[in-house]
Amino acid sequence: MIYGMWKPPFLQALPFTAPGFELGAIAANDVYAGNLNFQLSFVSSKLVQICTDISANINQIAERYYNTTEEESAVKALFYPGCDSSTAVADFGREWNILSVNIGATFSNTRNRTTYPTSVAFGPYPYEIYGVMVGQLSAAYKWPSIAIVYDVSGITLFNLRVSQEIRRYMRQNYEHIDVHAFPVDVRGSVEFRPIIQEISLFTRVIFFAMPANVTQEFLMVFADSGEPREEYVHIYLDFVGSVKSPLNLDYNASSDVAASLWKSVFVVAICFDHDDVKMVALRKEFYRTAIDKYNATFRGPNGVANEFITTAYTSILLYAQVLNETINAGYDPRDGSRLAAAMLNRTFTFPAVGSVYIDENGERQNTICLYNFQPELQRFERVRYFDSATRTLRNASDAAVYWGTPHNIPPLSEPVCGFTKDRGPCSKLGSSTLGGIISGIVLVVLVLSCTVPPFLRMQKPAVDENWWVVDMHHLSRAVEVGSSEISGRSHPFSFKSNLLINAPMRYHGMHVWAKVVQISKRAVQLQSSNGIINIRPEFRQLMTEIRALSRRCANINPLIGIGLGPIRLTYLTALCQRGNLGNLIEEVSLDWGLKCSLIADLVEGVAAIHRTTIRRHGHLRPSKCLIDSRLVLKINEAGFYDTLHELQVELINPKNFEAIGETLHNAWVAPELRIELIESATFAHIAMQAEPPADVYAVGGLINYLLQDHTSSKDEKVVDFAFASNHGIPPNAVPLLSTLLYECRNVNPADRPNIWQVKMEIHKVADNAGKLFDQLVKRLEDYAVQLENAVSLRTYTLKQEMEKCDSLLGEMLPRYVLVQLRIGHLVQPQIFHSVTILMTGVAGFEEFVIKSQNSPLELVVFLNNMFTVFDCIIAKYDCYKVETILETCLVVSGLPVENHGDHVNVIASLVLEMRTEFKQGFPDGLHLKAGVHSGPCAAGVVGTARPRYCVFGDSVNVTSRLACTSKANKIHISNATEELLGFDPSFKVSRRGMTYLKGIGSMMTFWLDG
């Protein structure tokens, strides 16, 4: 069954894909004639107009499935050119256990093999692969920072989706690479110069996800911007890289501008390895069938619709091959799970189409390529590609990459002159001039030090009036902030929207919280040509007031600085490790004492603001109340809206600057502000209009919110409650708090108390600060004791587990080698000049296996019992069991720590005890035989996944031959071993004579009798 949309504008619609299905079925019937016979059943409706599951008439699938009568041998499968998030059709496939193939998805929501075992996503354009390619290129060429300019208009869904996927993939897999996003709406006029100016401050690598004509416009503006073109690389993200000129630029343009632009342009696109000759013929059939039967016309011979129709064709051939293999193997062809599993982790090759790879998740992974403009050839050539099967970046041809940079190398992580062009050869001062200036300065300083009166030299240096200016070069994204993330730590670097960013960052080595807003206009020029900051005196006064406010009051979060770029304003404040008030309430159960402490901090901070010329905060809410590591509440962004006003900046789309709709329902927004908010819908304006009573109203709402007994609250909505003892509030405090909150939240601003009156009432409720402090100290002491007990328990458990681990590793490696590896030493292979090697075997073991008719399990039990006895004996001696193979055992003494000639006595004593134990504890007819040899050998650790300490050399071969030529209950030793044993009269040795050892020759050997 083929199910799909009928609306032609979508490339996945049936008029564009049905010809591929039909021709694929014809080809499959020809290839597998006599074994398979495909019949297509199209399920569609012209009422299905959009590419979603919700509006699609999926009930038609069930009707066709249950009402169609087929032969008993018929096998059903479900193909659908669906959308990115299609899962409803896949649900049918799972319930019926029939194969379901989606040829339209650009990424799949059915990759979970447990939930969707019968589904395969066969779409030709996976978005994630673009993120993989960007990450691979950035890592390969060591780009620490990149920029991506992308279209958010939705005219072409690809541009928005691919940019989102790149940023998501880079955040998850390349945290050390900063991705700076610049969204633009191409439906109107776009001002590219400010974007170029800001990009120039941190990177020389720019990716584009925009229409070709807009990208061309950006490149032309860039050419006129004065930026050094030879330092930049521009990479265009496209659907298919087969077109000759993806950006529609003139290769042969005589303009120097156009010629220089091509030198730095690359294209990243899906590359399909089709057989051009056969594919041309096949596409002609596609076009003819589409026009004749479906009245559908493709957009040019190289349109992207070709790949959807080709995918439809290929999906039938893929299904036919797997179905034929399943039938020939004798499996049930109706088992959709088996058919889908047979496609996983495989590369299929088809005529004209080429290779197709499906990964372990059931998703087709196409190859993505990097195309480079080659000036000599005057066309784009494939120079790099990412192999989805091996997950590696490979060279596509012998042609070298043409970077268009000096010395033809990739862009440097930082330009020679620096991003601000004030270093190295770009310095404005020559060395001689600079030397003269320095000499003059030194002379003046010496003169002044002798002439300036002492009392003037003792004056304090002037306060830096420009302390608030942020050097954006020292600002970078923070990947991790201590042991816990700040507010929003579930997404530490998250975009609230395209216009507002809240993120933890690093500035001059310290963690800060950055609020970044996009602006469309600024009236203030921060820095003039001579490097002097030119701002209004009113703004300097505001900055001084904000700085003094945080120094006077510990409940005000300090401002670190402000960065004002061409299109963005960055507002840095100190980082509070415990997040905001909402985070604290979600994570910690607050008792009455801690709630009182937080309320007192809140009131103290607001009172400090009301004492200044700022007069009010204007936008108090839980997200503005931050909690530091000592559980102290600090009010954030005091004076933020005054800063915007004094800088005279205009925000892009101020209606979306804050969550207006959600905020209107919050109990911390005063009624008088809600009315103005509805009319103007801009918080920057409303915050400036707010008066101190509005803050008092917000304080009442925040106290109400804080006192509620809620274990989790993911939003900031507050519901009034009747105070009761089950909220943990003392009964004598309930009337006072009820009255206070009622007055704070009075509709009439004039009837609300001022913040100092609120502060007095809160002090009455909270008793006295000393008692509260004692409670906090006791709580910390209790917590410390609990923590120590927990640490002790975990340490004991860890020690036990480490002992178990050491015991297991001790079975694989000698104790000495294990200790060396644990302390970080590399265990090198060694030559040991004198060791003694023992190899044991069981005489009669083969007859025992054949005649006893024991089951394999019984044989395993026998071997386990035998080697358990041997292990207990070996543990008594200074030796190491190297390995066991079937009934044989290899033991060595004298390594890895040499035992000064005792090795031969150790092995002799060991093998005699092993023989005695074997006689007493194992069945008649089985006898131990052994071979012993002394000599040099090499030994070392082999392998990493399952490391083993192995022994090599001729001595091992001689021991093996001695064991093979030994007899039942005999210990066969070499001449070298006999000579060493001769020094100890306690061992009895008898001569066997000259013995032929295979591969070694004749050798005088002996028996160790006791």
Side-chain angles (χ1 to χ4, degrees), residues 717-781:
K717 295 183 180 179
V718 176
V719 179
D720 288 332
F721 66 95
F723 290 108
S725 59
N726 60 356
H727 290 99
I729 303 173
N732 60 346
V734 172
L736 193 150
L737 284 173
S738 299
T739 303
L740 175 64
L741 296 187
Y742 176 79
E743 293 175 351
C744 287
R745 299 168 65 182
N746 197 301
V747 177
N748 186 359
D751 294 334
R752 297 171 198 157
N754 60 42
I755 193 63
W756 293 278
Q757 293 172 329
V758 175
K759 182 178 177 180
M760 292 175 60
E761 296 300 318
I762 291 298
H763 275 303
K764 293 179 184 178
V765 174
D767 293 329
N768 58 75
K771 186 176 181 180
L772 177 60
F773 179 77
D774 292 340
Q775 293 176 356
L776 293 176
V777 171
K778 184 179 184 303
R779 188 180 302 111
L780 290 175
E781 290 175 350

Side-chain angles (χ1 to χ4, degrees), residues 281-461:
L282 183 60
R283 282 176 172 168
K284 289 182 179 179
E285 290 295 315
F286 289 157
Y287 302 151
R288 182 185 59 78
T289 305
I291 294 174
D292 293 346
K293 301 186 71 172
Y294 299 98
N295 193 29
T297 304
F298 293 94
R299 295 177 295 181
N302 292 314
V304 294
N306 289 311
E307 295 309 327
F308 284 103
I309 194 172
T310 304
T311 300
Y313 172 84
T314 309
S315 65
I316 298 295
L317 295 180
L318 172 69
Y319 174 52
Q321 177 178 335
V322 173
L323 185 61
N324 186 64
E325 293 172 354
T326 302
I327 294 174
N328 292 338
Y331 297 117
D332 183 4
R334 297 176 182 83
D335 188 350
S337 298
R338 179 176 292 277
L339 292 175
M343 299 179 180
L344 307 184
N345 268 332
R346 287 186 64 182
T347 299
F348 300 86
T349 303
F350 303 103
V353 177
S355 298
V356 175
Y357 171 69
I358 299 179
D359 67 8
E360 68 277 4
N361 295 319
E363 292 183 328
R364 177 181 178 181
Q365 295 294 337
N366 280 326
T367 302
I368 189 166
C369 295
L370 177 69
Y371 294 86
N372 179 215
F373 183 73
Q374 302 286 322
E376 296 180 357
L377 302 176
Q378 290 293 293
R379 67 171 181 265
F380 278 91
E381 286 291 316
R382 187 185 303 182
V383 291
R384 296 283 188 274
Y385 72 94
F386 178 75
D387 190 339
S388 299
T390 62
R391 310 296 289 181
T392 55
L393 188 65
R394 297 174 177 266
N395 294 332
S397 64
D398 296 333
V401 179
Y402 186 79
W403 292 99
T405 58
H407 310 294
N408 196 35
I409 60 175
L412 301 175
S413 59
E414 183 173 355
V416 176
C417 295
F419 287 113
T420 55
K421 309 177 185 65
D422 58 356
R423 297 190 323 198
C426 301
S427 177
K428 295 181 179 180
L429 297 177
S431 58
S432 60
T433 304
L434 184 61
I437 292 176
I438 294 175
S439 301
I441 292 174
V442 171
L443 179 60
V444 170
V445 170
L446 291 175
V447 171
L448 290 177
S449 64
C450 299
T451 59
V452 174
F455 74 91
L456 288 180
R457 293 201 300 266
M458 296 177 61
Q459 294 295 320
K460 293 182 180 180

Side-chain angles (χ1 to χ4, degrees), residues 957-958 961-962 965 995-1002:
N957 297 331
V958 173
R961 298 306 178 191
L962 288 171
T965 56
T995 305
Y996 176 75
L997 304 180
K998 183 178 179 181
I1000 297 174
S1002 298

Side-chain angles (χ1 to χ4, degrees), residues 2 33 85 99 168 242 248 310 317 360 395 419 469 614 749 788 866 883 918 932 983:
I2 314 295
S85 57
L99 180 69
R168 181 200 64 80
S242 60
N248 302 317
T310 304
L317 295 180
E360 68 277 4
N395 294 332
F419 287 113
V469 178
I614 299 173
E788 289 177 0
M866 180 181 69
E883 61 180 342
F918 193 89
V932 180
F983 296 102

Side-chain angles (χ1 to χ4, degrees), residues 472-487:
M472 300 299 291
H473 300 99
H474 295 284
L475 185 64
S476 61
R477 179 164 61 113
V479 176
E480 185 177 338
V481 183
S483 60
S484 65
E485 295 292 349
I486 41 141
S487 63

